[in-house]
Amino acid sequence: MTISVLIADDQAMVRSGLRLILSDQPDITVVGEAADGVDAIEQARRLRPDVCLVDIRMPRLDGLAVTRALAGPGVTAPLRVVVVTTFDLDEYVYGALRDGAAGFLLKDSGPALLAEAVRAAHAGDSLISPSITVRLLRHITTSTAVDPVKPWRKLSDRELDVVRAIARGLTNQEIAAELFISLSTVKSHVSGIQAKLGVRNRVEIAAWAWQTRLVS
């Protein structure tokens, strides 16, 4: 089964570049492109792609409004939206995640991270560009209701290694390489950690790590 993707960006060159990167992945298929926010919403609702890649600054309707329309609170059949932008601003990051985005990537993140963000969103997870993870977590740790103490003893030493790596912003592939384990083992650890900590995604895993001072 392939992951269907809609690309929304007002620059034709960017859309072509993203399509080229994703088309090189055997499990990802680009099913549509949109050059503005209104068209992005129309195509997304018609095509129902597994993941929508959305730029922030677009004509007619910006990416945050598109995210709210497709994935925000109250949407009856929400879609997975990953914001891909050049603008590394706190208001955009927090706004996108608050409005339902399943990821936030900078356009210079690289092909591997882009593909992993699509896969993570499709799997119900969240992936944030490592370059903004630390700043984001400083904000999240003041507002996330994660029990910082109780689950600690439930985690194995290896799971704690994975938690530390996630908190540093590493992708699953980077964690696998650093810990000398397979990618499937990393994914298994992440799922187990989420269940033990009672959190929904890797962003909340990282927030827990910061709250408990497992990382600093």
Side-chain angles (χ1 to χ4, degrees):
M1 178 181 292
T2 59
I3 303 170
S4 59
V5 175
L6 171 69
I7 299 171
D9 195 292
D10 63 332
Q11 298 184 43
M13 186 176 295
V14 172
R15 294 197 307 273
S16 296
L18 294 177
R19 175 184 282 274
L20 186 63
I21 291 171
L22 296 176
S23 296
D24 196 42
Q25 305 297 316
D27 59 336
I28 299 175
T29 302
V30 176
V31 295
E33 294 183 16
D36 64 69
V38 173
D39 189 28
I41 292 175
E42 292 175 350
Q43 288 203 50
R45 288 174 173 169
R46 176 170 54 85
L47 298 172
R48 301 296 301 176
D50 295 315
V51 179
C52 301
L53 298 182
V54 177
D55 187 22
I56 288 286
R57 297 186 180 179
M58 294 188 293
R60 297 211 283 172
L61 209 58
D62 67 29
L64 296 181
V66 172
T67 301
R68 284 193 298 273
L70 298 179
V75 177
T76 55
L79 293 168
R80 297 285 178 179
V81 176
V82 175
V83 173
V84 184
T85 182
T86 57
F87 302 103
D88 182 11
L89 300 176
D90 285 355
E91 60 184 290
Y92 289 160
V93 179
Y94 304 147
L97 296 177
R98 182 182 60 246
D99 292 336
F104 193 102
L105 286 184
L106 299 179
K107 288 180 180 176
D108 62 359
S109 296
L113 199 62
L114 176 66
E116 185 159 350
V118 169
R119 296 185 183 107
H122 181 244
D125 204 347
S126 300
L127 194 150
I128 314 296
S129 280
S131 60
I132 60 176
T133 297
V134 171
R135 193 177 74 238
L136 174 64
L137 290 173
R138 285 174 180 162
H139 172 80
I140 288 178
T141 51
T142 64
S143 59
T144 326
V146 178
D147 186 341
V149 179
K150 186 176 180 181
W152 180 275
R153 295 179 182 176
K154 296 181 180 179
L155 300 180
S156 67
D157 290 341
R158 178 56 87 191
E159 287 172 332
L160 289 173
D161 289 338
V162 173
V163 169
R164 292 187 186 96
I166 290 173
R168 286 162 45 215
L170 271 62
T171 66
N172 284 349
Q173 290 180 330
E174 290 169 336
I175 294 171
E178 180 172 287
L179 300 181
F180 301 102
I181 56 180
S182 69
L183 184 59
S184 61
T185 299
V186 174
K187 292 179 180 178
S188 178
H189 281 317
V190 172
S191 296
I193 291 165
Q194 288 178 194
K196 290 181 180 180
L197 297 184
V199 298
R200 297 168 297 175
N201 52 53
R202 65 196 298 123
V203 175
E204 291 186 3
I205 291 174
W208 178 84
W210 278 67
Q211 288 177 318
T212 57
R213 299 190 183 278
L214 192 63
V215 295
S216 61

